[in-house]
Amino acid sequence: MVDDQIGRTNAASHALKRAGSFISSLALTFLGLTAITFLISRMTKIDPVLAIVGDKASKEVYDKTYAMLGLDKPLIVQYGGYLRKLLSGDMGTSVLTSQPVLTDLIHVFPATFELATVAIVMGVLIGVPGGVIAAARKGHWQDQVIRVVCLFGYSIPVFWLGLVGLFVLYGKLGWVSGTGRLDIGYDDIVTTRSGILLIDAALEGQWDIFRNAFSHLILPASILAYFSLAYIARMTRSFMIDQLSQEYIIAARIKGRSYWGAVWKHAFPNIMVPLITVIGLSYASLLEGAVLTETVFAWPGLGQYITRALFNSDMNAVLGGTVLIGMVFIGINLFCDFLYKIFDPRLRSA
Amino acid sequence: MSEILLDVQDLNVSFPSQRGTTKAVRNASFTLGRERLGIVGESGSGKSTMGRAILGLTPSPGIVTAKKITFNGENLLGRSEADWQLLRGRRMTMVMQDPKYSLNPVMKIGHQIGETCRLNLGVTGQEAQRRSLAMLDAVKIRDPDRVYNLYPHELSGGMGQRAMIAMMLVAEPDLLIADEPTSALDVTVQNEVLRILDALVRDRGMGLIFISHNLTVVSSFCDRILVMYGGKILEECKAKELHHAKHPYTQALIAAAPSLYERRAELATVVRNPEWLK
C-alpha cells in the first residue's frame, strides 16, 4: 500500500519533470527565435522611421517618431518591450496595411496553410509509394521512370511550370480556374471561420463555392505537390534501399514472406523516423509560403505578404511573419518528435 | 541416413560484374539425410552463399546453376517465387548469424514469431500467440509472457538468438540451415544456445546444415563435415575423424587453431593452393 503510493508519487514527479523540461526547452527556443529575428531586423540598414514618415518629413517629425518607436533606448530594452508586446499578442501595426500585423497574419496564413496542406497530402500520397516502388525495383524500368519524373521535379523552375500550367490548363483547356483563391463573383460570400475556403464553404453547404475554390486551388497545389513529392520520393527511395539490404529482410523472406510483403511489412515501418523528418521539413517549408508560386497565382498568402513587407521596409510585418514561421517550425518539430516515439520503440524512454 | 532430404549435384553460384565473373560456389555436390552436416571453411569460402542458394535467396545479380537440387524429392531448380514461399519457413529455414541485425527492430518478438505461424501454419490470433509462447518456452526463455512483448533491442544477444531460433523453428520445418548461429554471441552463451539448438534438432528429427568456422564446435556437434575452400568442397569426412583428415588444407586449418595447453612462439598460417580449385 505504502509502496504503491510511493510508486505513484514517483511516477507523478517523473511526469512533472518531463513536462517541466519540455516547457523550458520550448520557452528557450522561442526566446532564441525572437531574439535573433529582432536583432536581424534592427541590424538591417532599413530605417523604420522613414517607412512611416516618408523622406519629405521634417527633422522634428522624424525625431518625434524616432522616440515614439523607442529607437532611442538601448537594444535590450527595446527587445524587452518587443517581447512583452509579442506575448500579449501585439505584433505592432503594419505600415503597408495600417492594420495590426496579427490581424494581417490571421488573414493571410490560412491561404498558405490550405495550399501547403493540400500540396503535402498529395506529395506524400504519391511520393512515398513512388519512392518505395523505385527502391524495391531498383534498376528496373519502374525505378528509371520514377527517377526521371523526380529529376524534372527539382530541376524545372516553379514559376515556369506555374505559368505553363496556367497557360495550358486554364488558358487553352479551361480545365481549372485562374489566379486568386476564388472567382471575383464569389468573393466575400462565405463567412470566414477558419479562413480555409474549402472548409468554410463546406460548413455553410455552399458547394458551388467549394467547387470554385477547389478549381482555383488544384493547379498551384499540384505544382507545389510535384516539387515536394520529388524530394519525398527521392529520400524515401534511398531510405528504403538502405533498409532492403538489411539482414532482417532476408530473415523475413526465409520465414515465408513474399518480396513485396517484406518490403511493406518489414522495411517500410523501419524508415518511418527519417521519413517523418523529411515530410515535416517539406511541410514546414511549404508553410513558409511559396513566394514564387503565390506570386504567379496571385495567391494572397504568407509568402506574398512577407515579400511585399520586405520591399516596403515594413519591419513589423516582416518580424511578425518571421516569428510565425519560426513557431510553425517549432510546432512541426515537436509533432515529429512525438511521432518518432510512436513509430520507433527504440526512441521511447523507459 | 536412409532417407535423403537434400540432394545437391554440381551446384555453381556465380556473380557477374563488370570486371568478370566471381565464382562463389564451384561444382559443389553433397547429400543430406536427417543428420547434422557441418560446413567449415574460411571467410569467403562460399559456405553462406551455398546456404542461401539452397533457400533460393541468392542476391541479384547472382546466378545459380546445378545439375540437380532436390529437397524431399522435389526439384528446387527454376521454382517460381510463389512455389518458394510454400517451402521457405514451412519446410526449410535458416538461423542467421547476428540477432541484432536479423530481427526486425520495430516489431515485438512475439509478433515476429507469430508472423511465421500466420504465414506458414494458417493460424491466427490466439492460436498463433499460444504457439509462439510455447516456442519461446522451448528455447528455454524463462519468462515467455514478458519476452513476447519486448522489442529486439531490449534483449541480450543470447536471448535474441534464442528468439531467432524460436521464430525460425516454430513452423517445424524439415531442414534447418544454421549460418554461424553462435559467432556473434559471447563464448559463455554460445554453449547454451548450441545445446538448445541440439535438443530441438534431435527432438524434431530435422536435417541440419551447420555452417561455421569453428572447427571444435563443428566436430563435436555434427555427424559429418564438409571442408570448403574458394567455393569448392575439398574434403568430406566423419566429424569424429576430422583429426585424421587427408587433405592438406584441412590439416592446415586444424593446425592453425591455437591450443590452450601448448605454447607456440608463432601460430601456424593456413596454406592455400589455387591448384586445388581445378
Side-chain angles (χ1 to χ4, degrees), chain B residues 16 38 75 77 86 138 161 175 202 219 230 233:
Chain B
N75 180 26
L77 288 165
L86 298 175
Q161 196 59 314
L175 169 67
R202 203 184 297 274
S219 60
I233 297 175

Side-chain angles (χ1 to χ4, degrees), chain B residues 108-111 129 132-133 136 144-150:
Chain B
K108 284 180 179 172
I109 295 296
H111 191 72
Q129 179 169 8
S132 305
L133 288 170
L136 281 173
D145 290 303
R146 191 177 68 87
V147 173
Y148 186 89
N149 284 311
L150 293 181

Side-chain angles (χ1 to χ4, degrees), chain B residues 11 29 46 186 223 252:
Chain B
L11 173 67
S29 303
D186 289 340
D223 306 316

Side-chain angles (χ1 to χ4, degrees), chain B residues 121-273:
Chain B
L121 303 174
V123 297
T124 49
Q126 298 244 307
E127 178 61 12
Q129 179 169 8
R130 194 190 60 76
R131 291 200 195 201
S132 305
L133 288 170
M135 197 63 212
L136 281 173
D137 193 51
V139 294
K140 306 257 167 25
I141 280 180
R142 232 171 291 133
D143 192 353
D145 290 303
R146 191 177 68 87
V147 173
Y148 186 89
N149 284 311
L150 293 181
Y151 286 97
H153 73 280
E154 295 169 307
L155 300 182
S156 66
M159 288 256 270
Q161 196 59 314
R162 282 187 270 173
M164 175 88 191
I165 292 170
M167 175 172 96
M168 291 310 192
L169 294 186
V170 68
E172 308 197 342
D174 300 319
L175 169 67
L176 168 65
I177 300 173
D179 188 357
E180 312 216 15
T182 59
S183 305
L185 305 180
D186 289 340
V187 181
T188 44
V189 193
Q190 283 187 1
N191 282 328
E192 209 180 323
V193 170
L194 279 176
R195 264 202 305 280
I196 290 164
L197 203 58
D198 182 54
L200 287 171
V201 169
R202 203 184 297 274
D203 287 353
R204 294 167 192 223
M206 279 183 273
L208 172 72
I209 295 178
F210 190 91
I211 297 169
S212 177
H213 50 233
N214 190 330
L215 286 173
T216 328
V217 167
V218 172
S219 60
S220 64
F221 194 67
C222 297
D223 306 316
R224 274 191 308 143
I225 291 177
L226 302 178
V227 180
M228 286 187 79
Y229 167 74
K232 203 172 155 79
I233 297 175
L234 288 185
E235 183 162 23
E236 182 183 339
C237 64
K238 289 214 167 89
K240 291 189 186 69
E241 291 162 15
L242 182 65
H243 286 266
H244 308 295
K246 290 179 201 73
H247 201 283
Y249 180 69
T250 316
Q251 290 170 349
L253 278 182
I254 295 167
S259 162
L260 258 184
Y261 307 105
E262 198 184 321
R263 284 188 82 89
R264 278 191 223 169
E266 203 176 312
L267 292 174
T269 43
V270 177
V271 288
R272 301 178 183 86
N273 187 350

Side-chain angles (χ1 to χ4, degrees), chain B residues 30-190:
Chain B
F30 66 93
T31 58
L32 176 84
R34 293 195 180 263
E35 57 173 336
R36 299 124 189 274
L37 176 70
I39 301 181
V40 294
E42 295 169 89
S43 300
S45 60
K47 306 172 302 235
S48 299
T49 310
M50 193 156 82
R52 296 218 168 149
I54 291 166
L55 283 164
L57 286 173
T58 300
S60 91
I63 298 165
V64 179
T65 57
K67 203 181 277 170
K68 174 184 175 189
I69 307 180
T70 58
F71 173 70
N72 267 337
E74 265 181 71
N75 180 26
L76 293 189
L77 288 165
R79 286 179 87 89
S80 71
E81 217 15 71
D83 280 350
W84 269 115
Q85 276 167 48
L86 298 175
L87 280 186
R88 284 197 291 251
R90 178 76 195 92
R91 294 176 56 201
M92 48 166 57
T93 193
M94 184 183 223
V95 169
M96 295 157 83
Q97 185 168 347
D98 195 338
K100 254 209 309 284
Y101 303 113
S102 47
L103 290 170
N104 189 332
V106 302
M107 266 167 95
K108 284 180 179 172
I109 295 296
H111 191 72
Q112 298 197 44
I113 301 173
E115 186 185 23
T116 313
C117 300
R118 285 192 299 279
L119 287 171
N120 299 296
L121 303 174
V123 297
T124 49
Q126 298 244 307
E127 178 61 12
Q129 179 169 8
R130 194 190 60 76
R131 291 200 195 201
S132 305
L133 288 170
M135 197 63 212
L136 281 173
D137 193 51
V139 294
K140 306 257 167 25
I141 280 180
R142 232 171 291 133
D143 192 353
D145 290 303
R146 191 177 68 87
V147 173
Y148 186 89
N149 284 311
L150 293 181
Y151 286 97
H153 73 280
E154 295 169 307
L155 300 182
S156 66
M159 288 256 270
Q161 196 59 314
R162 282 187 270 173
M164 175 88 191
I165 292 170
M167 175 172 96
M168 291 310 192
L169 294 186
V170 68
E172 308 197 342
D174 300 319
L175 169 67
L176 168 65
I177 300 173
D179 188 357
E180 312 216 15
T182 59
S183 305
L185 305 180
D186 289 340
V187 181
T188 44
V189 193
Q190 283 187 1

